[in-house]
Amino acid sequence: MAEVNEPKETQKSGSKKGLIIAFIIILLAINAVQLFLNINKSNDIAVKDQQIVEANAKIDSTTSELTKAIDDLKLKQQEIARLGGDTATLGEQIRNLEVESEKLKHESAANYSKYIKIKKEIDKANQIAREASAEVDRLKAQLAVADSSIKDYQNKVVANLDTISKLKVTQNELAEKVAIASVLKAESFQIDAITAKGKVKDGGEFKAKSIDKLKISFYLGDNKVAKQEGKEIVLRVIEPDGSALFDVGTGGGSFQFEGKEIFYTLKQDVLFDNRKPQVVFTYVKGSAYKPGKHNIEVYAEGNKIGEGSFLVK
């Protein structure tokens, strides 16, 4: 059987169609590869973006940590200053940290080297903080010792003041006792009336008309405490109505006793030598004595040192 030959147009058409199909397949393959590459690239970009976000967050956190460390150092500086310590060196260190911190803020984000630099600055700040804490502890201990010394000194001062106060009380008491012990005593009163004719009458009872002069004598008693010196002795003759006899013309006057002004009849200076010196007063009244009991009072150095009396009939 004879073979039938296809026309040449038909063969050319089939060949062209095959080329087109092959080209389409190639294009599809290329597109598939491109799509695959694009997907991988997008994934890589997403991963890198996430890494950048995480790195930036880490850097921000570390930067905040550095800022907090600097703020803590400033508080330490204030505490050291309050405790009286020297803050010059610490202040310079804080300023240097602030300068470095400011520089790091301007470096690019997501930079690992920046993170490392910040960590180094934080480590430096922590080391400075430890040294500052040690200085604070040292100053507190020093102040505690000083405070203890001050309290001990204050206690000693109080104790000394208490001792001084007690000594003053003792001295005052002793001085008071000495003053009391040094008061002279007028003893052994003898009161005589001397008539106009010079006759001496004793016994303590006299007629008014027989008294021309009044002689009053006594002794200053033994006293080991009293100073041996001239003593002013004051005599008061007190009438029955309580008034003191005094006349400026005959040696009378007034003096202060227990805050009051009182009058005296006579006074004289006597050398007290602790040998019981006798003191004699002679008084001329110039007029008749009132009947009744007359009292005699003797004073020396602001104290009443003795008294006696006589009766006028």
Side-chain angles (χ1 to χ4, degrees):
M1 191 170 183
E3 290 183 357
V4 179
N5 292 323
E6 294 180 359
K8 287 183 178 181
E9 287 94 359
T10 303
Q11 288 178 356
K12 287 181 180 180
S13 176
S15 177
K16 188 181 289 186
K17 188 182 292 183
L19 288 172
I20 292 170
I21 292 170
F23 182 71
I24 291 171
I25 291 170
I26 291 171
L27 285 176
L28 290 172
I30 291 171
N31 287 336
V33 171
Q34 185 67 38
L35 178 61
F36 177 76
L37 292 174
N38 287 339
I39 290 173
N40 285 340
K41 187 175 182 181
S42 296
N43 289 336
D44 289 342
I45 291 171
V47 169
K48 288 182 179 180
D49 286 343
Q50 181 63 30
Q51 289 175 345
I52 290 172
V53 169
E54 292 176 355
N56 284 338
K58 195 171 185 179
I59 290 173
D60 289 342
S61 175
T62 310
T63 303
S64 297
E65 188 178 347
L66 177 57
T67 301
K68 182 179 181 303
I70 293 173
D71 291 340
D72 289 342
L73 281 177
K74 289 180 179 179
L75 293 176
K76 293 289 185 186
Q77 183 184 24
Q78 292 174 4
E79 188 172 7
I80 291 173
R82 182 178 60 81
L83 293 171
D86 184 5
T87 62
T89 301
L90 179 57
E92 183 63 25
Q93 290 172 327
I94 291 172
R95 285 189 290 275
N96 290 338
L97 285 172
E98 287 177 328
V99 170
E100 292 301 321
S101 176
E102 192 64 27
K103 287 180 181 178
L104 289 169
K105 287 180 182 178
H106 298 292
E107 291 188 7
S108 60
N111 188 332
Y112 182 72
S113 63
K114 176 180 179 180
Y115 171 75
I116 296 301
K117 289 180 181 179
I118 296 173
K119 288 295 292 181
K120 286 183 179 179
E121 293 302 320
I122 290 174
D123 291 341
K124 187 188 297 182
N126 288 336
Q127 177 60 33
I128 296 171
R130 286 191 290 272
E131 293 172 358
S133 295
E135 177 65 8
V136 169
D137 292 340
R138 186 188 71 79
L139 289 172
K140 284 182 177 180
Q142 184 177 329
L143 287 175
V145 172
D147 185 59
S148 178
S149 299
I150 290 171
K151 286 182 179 178
D152 289 342
Y153 178 74
Q154 288 175 337
N155 290 335
K156 288 179 182 179
V157 170
V158 171
N160 288 337
L161 289 175
D162 184 57
T163 301
I164 291 171
S165 178
K166 289 179 180 178
L167 285 174
K168 285 183 177 179
V169 170
T170 303
Q171 288 176 345
N172 291 337
E173 290 176 348
L174 181 60
E176 186 177 350
K177 290 178 181 178
V178 170
I180 293 172
S182 65
V183 173
L184 299 175
K185 298 295 181 184
E187 304 172 342
S188 304
F189 276 84
Q190 176 68 37
I191 301 172
D192 299 321
I194 301 175
T195 66
K197 294 181 180 181
K199 186 177 181 179
V200 177
K201 293 182 178 290
D202 58 14
E205 293 186 11
F206 316 107
K207 292 180 180 179
K209 62 181 181 179
S210 66
I211 306 174
D212 181 56
K213 297 178 182 178
L214 197 63
K215 180 182 176 183
I216 302 164
S217 61
F218 53 86
Y219 293 91
L220 296 179
D222 180 64
N223 192 317
K224 298 293 191 298
V225 181
K227 290 183 179 180
Q228 296 186 27
E229 59 184 2
K231 307 287 186 182
E232 185 178 72
I233 309 301
V234 178
L235 175 75
R236 298 184 77 214
V237 179
I238 302 171
E239 295 184 295
D241 61 3
S243 59
L245 293 174
F246 84 99
D247 184 346
V248 176
T250 59
S254 65
F255 67 102
Q256 292 289 323
F257 180 71
E258 295 181 349
K260 298 179 181 178
E261 184 180 26
I262 60 176
F263 296 97
Y264 63 86
T265 307
L266 294 172
K267 70 175 181 179
Q268 64 172 295
D269 290 329
V270 176
L271 176 62
F272 176 76
D273 55 6
N274 207 26
R275 297 180 182 179
K276 289 190 174 183
Q278 185 181 38
V279 182
V280 178
F281 283 96
T282 301
Y283 177 62
V284 180
K285 184 174 182 293
S287 60
Y289 284 84
K290 296 177 182 179
K293 182 181 179 182
H294 290 65
N295 292 316
I296 302 295
E297 294 178 350
V298 179
Y299 295 80
E301 299 177 316
N303 300 291
K304 185 163 74 170
I305 64 172
E307 57 187 356
S309 64
F310 64 94
L311 185 65
V312 177
K313 299 180 180 178

